[in-house]
Amino acid sequence: MRPTTPSCDVVVVGAGVAGLVAAHALSRTGRTVTCFEARDRVGGRALSVEHSGLTIDLGATWFWHNEPLVVTTLDQLELESFPQAVVGDALFEATDLPPQRLDGNPIDTPSQRFTTGAQSLPAGLAADLPRGVLHLGDPVHRIRQDDHRILVDAARGTVTADHVIVAVPPALAVEAITFTPDLPAPLHQVASDTVVWMGDTIKAVAVFDVPFWRAEGLAGTAFSYRGPFREFHDHSGPNGGAGAIFGFAPAAAGAATVDIADVFRAQLARLFGEHAYGPREIIVMDWANERHTTPTQRSPGASTAGFGHRFFQEAAAGGRIHWASTETDDAYAGHVEGALRAGMRAARAVEASLGGP
């Protein structure tokens, strides 16, 4: 007798914030869910690590007071937040001039950070899923449909489902996953051309014994036209102790992590002075080289123009394939709030199709 292909109501592709909130919502209504994640961890672009007693966010960092789903989800998971440090003067560096000290901090706006790191939000959602829902280290490579069901081929096997939620960046999905039959050509083109948020970004974090810039009346914030790092922000924790500054730079293809760290160190010293020469450590994350985040072939027309596109608000494959990464949200694309909204939207669409409330 041939083995029976496992079956569920919904397959979710990707265990970032969007995929996990969709899987969580559907599981709570009694739907059977299988969530495939290519990495051996949850969170996607919400990645937090511990260094020198600090929780360092190497991806998503902030949320804002006008983002209610983040606040509600943190409350539900009993997670805490604290205000981003913004007090003090900022620095500005023109292309050909020494850094200038600004009066106050016009760069940062009031925002909140996750006390235990941004990854603690998806980790909390994952921990609340029924046993067997989450499949880590199991990338999906094909989604095919017949007259009645959808078959999802992952690295460790095939699952059939009534619906699929694609909760990875659209450009990555159309490169890494074969859709049979093909997606409609206009949808495929929009997906290919929708830039991956943070997909061409390097984030570097320097950890210091103390946040020395505060004693000098600085906010730890800077903006530079000279580069290569363009903006800098205080990344210290909420309870004193060690301090940290992080910076964003456009990705440099092929650059070694150690080279990026040296460049970051030199630019910090140029901006913040001699105290910045000796960080305790520098942690670098090059999102352009994350194969489960950023496609290997970038569309020459890639831009943010596809964010929240109407194609992503509509289900494909006769209403059975749904989009749910932060890029697909029509109001907060690129934010954690956008990922939560997109995941919940996809979950509602599935529930409505399956006859739920």
Side-chain angles (χ1 to χ4, degrees):
M1 180 179 295
R2 299 178 62 183
T4 302
T5 302
S7 178
C8 62
D9 294 323
V10 189
V11 165
V12 177
V13 182
V17 172
L20 287 170
V21 77
H24 188 267
L26 289 163
S27 295
R28 288 173 68 88
T29 63
R31 303 301 179 187
T32 54
V33 182
T34 300
C35 181
F36 290 111
E37 168 56 46
R39 295 182 175 93
D40 61 1
R41 64 169 179 85
V42 301
R45 285 165 282 177
L47 173 60
S48 308
V49 296
E50 297 293 324
H51 280 273
S52 303
L54 289 177
T55 299
I56 303 294
D57 283 317
L58 294 175
T61 303
W62 301 294
F63 67 95
W64 287 264
H65 294 287
N66 65 337
E67 298 182 328
L69 276 182
V70 180
V71 175
T72 300
T73 305
L74 289 178
D75 287 344
Q76 291 173 344
L77 298 175
E78 299 183 346
L79 297 172
E80 297 181 348
S81 65
F82 67 99
Q84 166 69 29
V86 298
V87 176
D89 294 340
L91 300 172
F92 172 75
E93 185 179 45
T95 304
D96 300 316
L97 296 173
Q100 302 175 31
R101 182 166 178 158
L102 304 178
D103 184 13
N105 180 5
I107 299 172
D108 282 318
T109 58
S111 60
Q112 294 289 114
R113 285 177 50 203
F114 304 86
T115 302
T116 49
Q119 194 176 0
S120 63
L121 187 152
L125 291 170
D128 203 31
L129 290 174
R131 184 176 180 180
V133 167
L134 187 59
H135 295 247
L136 297 178
D138 204 358
V140 169
H141 58 85
R142 188 178 182 190
I143 297 174
R144 48 198 170 102
Q145 62 181 106
D146 59 23
D147 292 336
H148 306 289
R149 300 275 278 173
I150 294 183
L151 293 89
V152 179
D153 299 324
R156 295 201 292 267
T158 297
V159 174
T160 66
D162 291 313
H163 291 265
V164 174
I165 296 175
V166 180
V168 299
L172 179 66
V174 296
E175 178 184 89
I177 301 172
T178 299
F179 291 85
T180 305
D182 293 338
L183 295 173
L187 169 57
H188 189 284
Q189 189 64 55
V190 168
S192 297
D193 289 346
T194 299
V195 72
V196 176
W197 185 255
M198 288 189 69
D200 286 319
T201 300
I202 293 171
K203 185 174 183 179
V205 186
V207 180
F208 299 90
D209 290 333
V210 294
F212 63 84
W213 51 94
R214 295 180 182 177
E216 300 170 9
L218 294 172
T221 300
F223 189 85
S224 172
Y225 280 115
R226 180 176 172 183
F229 284 83
R230 300 299 184 184
E231 60 179 280
F232 300 78
H233 304 273
D234 190 312
H235 201 59
S236 308
N239 300 316
I245 290 177
F246 78 82
F248 288 127
T257 299
V258 63
D259 296 334
I260 297 170
D262 287 343
V263 168
F264 185 55
R265 181 185 293 106
Q267 190 172 354
L268 282 173
R270 193 173 76 222
L271 287 165
F272 292 94
E274 62 181 13
H275 291 299
Y277 272 111
R280 185 183 295 179
E281 55 191 319
I282 293 178
I283 307 100
V284 173
M285 186 65 186
D286 184 351
W287 287 99
N289 287 323
E290 277 290 293
R291 66 187 181 94
H292 298 308
T293 295
T294 306
T296 57
Q297 302 295 321
R298 285 73 181 278
S299 168
S303 72
T304 59
F307 282 2
H309 196 283
R310 63 181 180 85
F311 287 165
F312 300 136
Q313 312 300 309
E314 304 164 356
R320 293 191 290 178
I321 295 179
H322 310 264
W323 300 92
S325 73
T326 186
E327 289 85 2
T328 70
D329 184 55
D330 59 0
Y332 294 88
H335 293 201
V336 175
E337 181 79 4
L340 290 168
R341 283 170 50 94
M344 292 301 297
R345 170 180 47 77
R348 288 194 298 270
V350 169
E351 276 293 343
S353 180
L354 292 174

